[in-house]
Amino acid sequence: MIHIKVPASTANLGPGFDTLGLAFNLYHEILVEKMEEPPFQVKWTDPSQKIEDENNYVIRGINAVFAFYESEPIAYCLTMKSCKIPASRGLGSSAAAFVSGVVAGLYLLNQALEKEIIVKIASDLEGHPDNVAPSVLGGMVAACMVDEKVLHQPILLERPLQFIALIPDYQMSTFEAREAMPKHYSKEEVVFNLSRLSILLTAFQNGSYELLKYGTQDKLHQPYRLPLMPSSDLLNTLSSHSKVFGSFVSGAGSTYMLMCDPKDREELSDDAAKVLAESKTKWLILPLEVDTKGTVWEVLS
């Protein structure tokens, strides 16, 4: 039996559309045990979270490994142990499920649990590596697909940074969020994003966090996604809070992310709660820290 733990992630961080991601200390956990008799079994620790097998991305991840190695399916028992990552909120729930399934599939086939192959198979399933790479590797990661390979590089934060996730009780379809974006952009819009991405990465690496308010600016996706999100006017108000270094739409939404100094976490969280109390939507205000380990596993028997 193997225990697999995969962190949540945020993607884009403003201008880094489909290329930049960051892992958080919020986890998706499963247990997988080899069985003698087919077919597979699925158990849910929390029955309220149960979904149909055909919609379970963990199973899709396992099946992708079987297909990758051209193997016949192997019988197993999958226990959905803990699913702390809210679904369809821009926190990498699908990527985490794919990753956990890929690790499980490699284990079932007695293949080496190498992070490079995990990133590769899970990115193929997800369609892009921005959430997958940090969930597997931990920390902040820049990644891209080149000739069926995933290239990735870590981005180290110069000093501690606190993230505060504003999570509504409202799901956002990634498909709808992408459909809201234009099909074409002007040269000026592309240059705008390139310049902001350069500032963003430099600010993270140099600890110049006062520049993050500029580095998180974007013209490719956020202007089109933010209006789809609940109480976007209140989110804009919070983005100008004096304690906020920078803010951005997390992935495709509907979570909105604030960044601040760790010492300002409680004050900013309290102020965010007061502002969002005006919304008709219910909000979870969740302080998050960077996960630096990525996906971890333990073979129990």
Side-chain angles (χ1 to χ4, degrees):
M1 179 185 295
I2 188 172
H3 174 216
I4 304 164
K5 182 179 178 182
V6 185
S9 60
T10 187
N12 305 327
L13 285 85
F17 183 69
D18 277 4
T19 63
L20 193 61
L22 174 72
F24 286 130
N25 62 333
L26 187 67
Y27 301 98
H28 176 93
E29 297 182 59
I30 65 170
L31 294 168
V32 176
E33 183 178 8
K34 297 177 183 179
M35 302 288 287
E36 299 260 338
E37 297 290 332
F40 64 85
Q41 302 175 19
V42 182
K43 299 178 181 178
W44 290 82
T45 302
D46 182 354
S48 68
Q49 294 185 328
K50 184 176 180 179
I51 59 175
E52 298 300 319
D53 292 346
E54 58 266 26
N55 297 323
N56 191 328
Y57 284 8
V58 177
I59 296 173
R60 287 180 58 184
I62 293 173
N63 290 338
V65 174
F66 293 161
F68 185 83
Y69 287 99
E70 298 180 347
S71 168
E72 290 295 322
I74 292 176
Y76 61 87
C77 178
L78 165 64
T79 300
M80 304 293 291
K81 184 174 184 294
S82 176
C83 303
K84 299 293 186 183
I85 308 173
S88 300
R89 299 298 204 287
L91 290 170
S93 61
S94 63
F98 281 140
V99 168
S100 64
V102 170
V103 175
L106 293 171
Y107 165 76
L108 291 169
L109 292 183
N110 296 317
Q111 296 288 337
L113 300 180
E114 296 179 356
K115 291 199 170 183
E116 290 297 329
I117 195 65
I118 298 169
V119 170
K120 159 64 179 168
I121 299 176
S123 294
D124 286 346
L125 286 166
E126 183 79 348
H128 37 82
D130 53 350
N131 286 102
V132 169
S135 280
V136 175
L137 304 169
M140 185 182 295
V141 183
C144 65
M145 306 280 283
V146 178
D147 297 330
E148 299 186 358
K149 295 182 180 179
V150 179
L151 303 183
H152 53 80
Q153 285 293 306
I155 299 165
L156 302 179
L157 299 179
E158 171 62 22
R159 57 191 176 96
L161 183 62
Q162 180 69 59
F163 292 80
I164 297 177
L166 310 178
I167 309 172
D169 61 347
Y170 174 90
Q171 294 187 342
M172 179 76 80
S173 162
T174 300
F175 175 79
E176 291 179 5
R178 286 184 177 269
E179 284 294 299
M181 296 167 55
K183 302 301 181 185
H184 303 283
Y185 297 94
S186 68
K187 180 175 70 175
E188 290 75 18
E189 289 171 320
V190 173
V191 170
F192 180 96
N193 262 57
L194 290 173
S195 66
R196 270 47 179 194
L197 182 58
S198 298
I199 293 296
L200 180 70
L201 297 179
T202 303
F204 281 136
Q205 292 175 319
N206 293 344
S208 304
Y209 292 164
E210 69 279 1
L211 297 178
L212 291 177
K213 63 181 178 180
Y214 306 108
T216 50
Q217 293 175 345
D218 156 79
K219 288 193 175 182
L220 298 188
H221 70 105
Q222 293 187 130
Y224 309 100
R225 289 173 165 175
L226 190 56
L228 302 177
M229 294 166 53
S231 305
S232 57
D233 56 331
L234 300 179
L235 298 177
N236 283 324
T237 297
L238 284 170
S239 68
S240 61
H241 190 287
S242 62
K243 300 299 184 182
V244 173
F245 286 138
S247 59
F248 56 90
V249 176
S250 184
S254 56
T255 294
Y256 195 71
M257 199 71 64
L258 307 177
M259 296 180 287
C260 68
D261 191 294
K263 66 179 176 59
D264 296 323
R265 181 182 72 178
E266 291 188 13
E267 178 182 347
L268 182 55
S269 296
D270 289 344
D271 287 350
K274 293 175 184 176
V275 170
L276 294 175
E278 302 176 21
S279 172
K280 295 180 180 179
T281 302
K282 293 182 180 179
W283 293 81
L284 171 64
I285 299 172
L286 186 62
L288 295 171
E289 298 175 2
V290 178
D291 173 280
T292 58
K293 294 181 179 179
T295 299
V296 295
W297 54 81
E298 180 183 7
V299 177
L300 303 175
S301 61

